[in-house]
mmCIF file of all heavy atoms in Angstrom:
data_model
loop_
_atom_site.group_PDB
_atom_site.id
_atom_site.type_symbol
_atom_site.label_atom_id
_atom_site.label_comp_id
_atom_site.label_asym_id
_atom_site.label_seq_id
_atom_site.Cartn_x
_atom_site.Cartn_y
_atom_site.Cartn_z
ATOM 1 N N LEU A 1 31.556 -45.777 -44.086
ATOM 2 C CA LEU A 1 31.879 -44.374 -43.573
ATOM 3 C C LEU A 1 33.059 -44.278 -42.729
ATOM 4 O O LEU A 1 33.732 -43.202 -42.625
ATOM 5 C CB LEU A 1 30.672 -43.798 -42.852
ATOM 6 C CG LEU A 1 29.342 -43.540 -43.635
ATOM 7 C CD1 LEU A 1 28.187 -43.073 -42.757
ATOM 8 C CD2 LEU A 1 29.596 -42.522 -44.649
ATOM 9 N N THR A 2 33.362 -45.359 -41.830
ATOM 10 C CA THR A 2 34.352 -45.391 -40.851
ATOM 11 C C THR A 2 35.697 -45.849 -41.262
ATOM 12 O O THR A 2 36.646 -45.578 -40.638
ATOM 13 C CB THR A 2 33.818 -45.887 -39.597
ATOM 14 O OG1 THR A 2 33.588 -47.342 -39.761
ATOM 15 C CG2 THR A 2 32.670 -45.191 -39.106
ATOM 16 N N GLU A 3 35.702 -46.863 -42.333
ATOM 17 C CA GLU A 3 36.964 -47.547 -42.711
ATOM 18 C C GLU A 3 37.870 -46.825 -43.380
ATOM 19 O O GLU A 3 39.128 -46.892 -43.097
ATOM 20 C CB GLU A 3 36.624 -48.761 -43.427
ATOM 21 C CG GLU A 3 36.201 -49.885 -42.593
ATOM 22 C CD GLU A 3 36.186 -51.352 -43.463
ATOM 23 O OE1 GLU A 3 36.091 -51.200 -44.707
ATOM 24 O OE2 GLU A 3 36.023 -52.357 -42.890
ATOM 25 N N PRO A 4 37.573 -45.846 -44.257
ATOM 26 C CA PRO A 4 38.621 -45.044 -45.094
ATOM 27 C C PRO A 4 39.512 -44.292 -44.128
ATOM 28 O O PRO A 4 39.137 -43.821 -43.148
ATOM 29 C CB PRO A 4 37.697 -44.109 -45.883
ATOM 30 C CG PRO A 4 36.365 -44.698 -46.051
ATOM 31 C CD PRO A 4 36.132 -45.353 -44.689
ATOM 32 N N ALA A 5 40.772 -44.408 -44.475
ATOM 33 C CA ALA A 5 41.761 -43.659 -43.689
ATOM 34 C C ALA A 5 41.484 -42.185 -43.603
ATOM 35 O O ALA A 5 41.223 -41.465 -44.618
ATOM 36 C CB ALA A 5 43.138 -43.780 -44.347
ATOM 37 N N GLY A 6 41.608 -41.704 -42.433
ATOM 38 C CA GLY A 6 41.283 -40.245 -42.263
ATOM 39 C C GLY A 6 39.724 -40.008 -41.997
ATOM 40 O O GLY A 6 39.529 -38.824 -41.862
ATOM 41 N N ALA A 7 39.019 -40.895 -41.973
ATOM 42 C CA ALA A 7 37.452 -40.811 -41.792
ATOM 43 C C ALA A 7 37.339 -40.194 -40.396
ATOM 44 O O ALA A 7 37.892 -40.640 -39.422
ATOM 45 C CB ALA A 7 36.693 -41.896 -41.985
ATOM 46 N N THR A 8 36.613 -39.004 -40.315
ATOM 47 C CA THR A 8 36.329 -38.417 -39.059
ATOM 48 C C THR A 8 34.952 -38.464 -38.500
ATOM 49 O O THR A 8 34.571 -38.202 -37.328
ATOM 50 C CB THR A 8 36.686 -37.053 -39.086
ATOM 51 O OG1 THR A 8 35.982 -36.234 -40.197
ATOM 52 C CG2 THR A 8 38.186 -36.806 -39.276
ATOM 53 N N VAL A 9 34.023 -38.888 -39.453
ATOM 54 C CA VAL A 9 32.631 -38.824 -39.099
ATOM 55 C C VAL A 9 32.259 -40.015 -38.038
ATOM 56 O O VAL A 9 32.914 -41.128 -38.029
ATOM 57 C CB VAL A 9 31.622 -39.086 -40.227
ATOM 58 C CG1 VAL A 9 31.883 -40.504 -41.001
ATOM 59 C CG2 VAL A 9 30.189 -38.820 -39.987
ATOM 60 N N LYS A 10 31.435 -39.629 -37.042
ATOM 61 C CA LYS A 10 31.108 -40.615 -35.971
ATOM 62 C C LYS A 10 29.668 -41.153 -36.197
ATOM 63 O O LYS A 10 28.864 -40.382 -36.787
ATOM 64 C CB LYS A 10 31.137 -39.989 -34.624
ATOM 65 C CG LYS A 10 32.402 -39.265 -34.316
ATOM 66 C CD LYS A 10 33.569 -40.201 -34.120
ATOM 67 C CE LYS A 10 34.812 -39.612 -33.484
ATOM 68 N NZ LYS A 10 35.336 -38.522 -34.209
ATOM 69 N N VAL A 11 29.520 -42.466 -36.057
ATOM 70 C CA VAL A 11 28.296 -43.119 -36.341
ATOM 71 C C VAL A 11 27.575 -43.526 -35.040
ATOM 72 O O VAL A 11 28.230 -44.153 -34.214
ATOM 73 C CB VAL A 11 28.288 -44.298 -37.147
ATOM 74 C CG1 VAL A 11 27.021 -44.855 -37.351
ATOM 75 C CG2 VAL A 11 28.811 -43.799 -38.605
ATOM 76 N N LEU A 12 26.410 -43.089 -34.792
ATOM 77 C CA LEU A 12 25.552 -43.429 -33.587
ATOM 78 C C LEU A 12 24.398 -44.381 -34.087
ATOM 79 O O LEU A 12 23.639 -43.823 -34.858
ATOM 80 C CB LEU A 12 25.019 -42.244 -32.935
ATOM 81 C CG LEU A 12 24.261 -42.367 -31.514
ATOM 82 C CD1 LEU A 12 25.148 -43.087 -30.476
ATOM 83 C CD2 LEU A 12 23.966 -40.951 -31.159
ATOM 84 N N VAL A 13 24.484 -45.604 -33.676
ATOM 85 C CA VAL A 13 23.396 -46.455 -34.329
ATOM 86 C C VAL A 13 22.172 -46.283 -33.507
ATOM 87 O O VAL A 13 21.960 -46.243 -32.272
ATOM 88 C CB VAL A 13 23.903 -47.975 -34.196
ATOM 89 C CG1 VAL A 13 22.826 -48.853 -34.678
ATOM 90 C CG2 VAL A 13 25.180 -48.128 -34.890
ATOM 91 N N LEU A 14 20.998 -46.404 -34.283
ATOM 92 C CA LEU A 14 19.766 -46.246 -33.741
ATOM 93 C C LEU A 14 19.012 -47.599 -33.630
ATOM 94 O O LEU A 14 19.114 -48.459 -34.694
ATOM 95 C CB LEU A 14 18.804 -45.332 -34.535
ATOM 96 C CG LEU A 14 19.250 -43.935 -34.670
ATOM 97 C CD1 LEU A 14 18.315 -43.164 -35.616
ATOM 98 C CD2 LEU A 14 19.163 -43.217 -33.267
ATOM 99 N N THR A 15 18.451 -48.047 -32.683
ATOM 100 C CA THR A 15 17.977 -49.325 -32.576
ATOM 101 C C THR A 15 16.707 -49.403 -31.736
ATOM 102 O O THR A 15 16.540 -48.502 -30.855
ATOM 103 C CB THR A 15 18.954 -50.473 -32.019
ATOM 104 O OG1 THR A 15 18.410 -51.771 -31.998
ATOM 105 C CG2 THR A 15 19.281 -50.119 -30.639
ATOM 106 N N THR A 16 15.901 -50.596 -31.751
ATOM 107 C CA THR A 16 14.621 -50.554 -30.906
ATOM 108 C C THR A 16 14.849 -51.204 -29.677
ATOM 109 O O THR A 16 14.199 -51.113 -28.686
ATOM 110 C CB THR A 16 13.539 -51.349 -31.741
ATOM 111 O OG1 THR A 16 13.354 -50.591 -33.129
ATOM 112 C CG2 THR A 16 12.206 -51.227 -31.093
ATOM 113 N N PHE A 17 15.880 -52.286 -29.736
ATOM 114 C CA PHE A 17 16.132 -53.100 -28.573
ATOM 115 C C PHE A 17 17.654 -53.101 -28.305
ATOM 116 O O PHE A 17 18.428 -52.904 -29.110
ATOM 117 C CB PHE A 17 15.856 -54.481 -29.026
ATOM 118 C CG PHE A 17 14.448 -54.748 -29.478
ATOM 119 C CD1 PHE A 17 14.233 -55.106 -30.816
ATOM 120 C CD2 PHE A 17 13.336 -54.703 -28.555
ATOM 121 C CE1 PHE A 17 12.928 -55.221 -31.212
ATOM 122 C CE2 PHE A 17 12.063 -54.856 -29.059
ATOM 123 C CZ PHE A 17 11.851 -55.126 -30.447
ATOM 124 N N ASP A 18 17.923 -53.009 -26.900
ATOM 125 C CA ASP A 18 19.283 -52.813 -26.471
ATOM 126 C C ASP A 18 20.165 -54.168 -26.657
ATOM 127 O O ASP A 18 21.283 -53.984 -26.712
ATOM 128 C CB ASP A 18 19.446 -52.344 -25.018
ATOM 129 C CG ASP A 18 18.892 -53.284 -23.983
ATOM 130 O OD1 ASP A 18 18.418 -54.347 -24.482
ATOM 131 O OD2 ASP A 18 18.719 -52.954 -22.817
ATOM 132 N N LEU A 19 19.481 -55.247 -26.727
ATOM 133 C CA LEU A 19 20.181 -56.513 -26.966
ATOM 134 C C LEU A 19 19.819 -56.930 -28.460
ATOM 135 O O LEU A 19 18.912 -57.607 -28.608
ATOM 136 C CB LEU A 19 19.810 -57.729 -26.058
ATOM 137 C CG LEU A 19 20.747 -57.825 -24.817
ATOM 138 C CD1 LEU A 19 20.299 -58.916 -23.945
ATOM 139 C CD2 LEU A 19 22.251 -57.949 -25.146
ATOM 140 N N ASP A 20 20.607 -56.543 -29.340
ATOM 141 C CA ASP A 20 20.452 -56.648 -30.730
ATOM 142 C C ASP A 20 21.709 -57.152 -31.529
ATOM 143 O O ASP A 20 22.634 -56.356 -31.499
ATOM 144 C CB ASP A 20 19.875 -55.404 -31.268
ATOM 145 C CG ASP A 20 19.348 -55.464 -32.813
ATOM 146 O OD1 ASP A 20 20.041 -56.299 -33.532
ATOM 147 O OD2 ASP A 20 18.483 -54.613 -33.183
ATOM 148 N N GLU A 21 21.683 -58.283 -32.152
ATOM 149 C CA GLU A 21 22.823 -58.746 -32.747
ATOM 150 C C GLU A 21 23.412 -57.871 -33.846
ATOM 151 O O GLU A 21 24.567 -57.571 -33.916
ATOM 152 C CB GLU A 21 22.579 -60.106 -33.371
ATOM 153 C CG GLU A 21 23.859 -60.753 -34.023
ATOM 154 C CD GLU A 21 23.600 -62.185 -34.593
ATOM 155 O OE1 GLU A 21 22.469 -62.649 -34.373
ATOM 156 O OE2 GLU A 21 24.548 -62.754 -35.012
ATOM 157 N N TYR A 22 22.514 -57.042 -34.547
ATOM 158 C CA TYR A 22 22.807 -56.155 -35.484
ATOM 159 C C TYR A 22 23.681 -54.995 -34.848
ATOM 160 O O TYR A 22 24.561 -54.481 -35.584
ATOM 161 C CB TYR A 22 21.716 -55.685 -36.224
ATOM 162 C CG TYR A 22 21.066 -56.785 -37.089
ATOM 163 C CD1 TYR A 22 19.793 -57.268 -36.736
ATOM 164 C CD2 TYR A 22 21.601 -57.187 -38.274
ATOM 165 C CE1 TYR A 22 19.154 -58.303 -37.498
ATOM 166 C CE2 TYR A 22 20.891 -58.173 -39.034
ATOM 167 C CZ TYR A 22 19.771 -58.694 -38.592
ATOM 168 O OH TYR A 22 19.204 -59.683 -39.408
ATOM 169 N N VAL A 23 23.315 -54.669 -33.620
ATOM 170 C CA VAL A 23 24.031 -53.548 -32.937
ATOM 171 C C VAL A 23 25.387 -53.891 -32.818
ATOM 172 O O VAL A 23 26.390 -53.144 -33.004
ATOM 173 C CB VAL A 23 23.310 -53.244 -31.645
ATOM 174 C CG1 VAL A 23 24.156 -52.115 -30.691
ATOM 175 C CG2 VAL A 23 21.969 -52.590 -31.878
ATOM 176 N N TYR A 24 25.675 -55.142 -32.362
ATOM 177 C CA TYR A 24 26.936 -55.577 -32.076
ATOM 178 C C TYR A 24 27.716 -55.595 -33.415
ATOM 179 O O TYR A 24 28.983 -55.201 -33.383
ATOM 180 C CB TYR A 24 26.984 -57.108 -31.477
ATOM 181 C CG TYR A 24 28.371 -57.644 -31.391
ATOM 182 C CD1 TYR A 24 29.258 -57.234 -30.471
ATOM 183 C CD2 TYR A 24 28.760 -58.602 -32.156
ATOM 184 C CE1 TYR A 24 30.495 -57.615 -30.306
ATOM 185 C CE2 TYR A 24 30.109 -59.205 -32.076
ATOM 186 C CZ TYR A 24 30.945 -58.721 -31.101
ATOM 187 O OH TYR A 24 32.191 -59.135 -31.035
#
């Protein structure tokens, strides 16, 4: 969603834990 040139959509990640490798 974010890589294409001109992409404007913002992504907010949902997670269960604040220290999560997947979040990084």
Side-chain angles (χ1 to χ4, degrees):
L1 291 178
T2 61
E3 273 192 350
T8 58
V9 66
K10 304 296 192 303
V11 176
L12 184 59
V13 174
L14 300 171
T15 184
T16 307
F17 307 103
D18 63 3
L19 268 182
D20 184 332
E21 183 174 0
Y22 292 104
V23 170
Y24 175 68

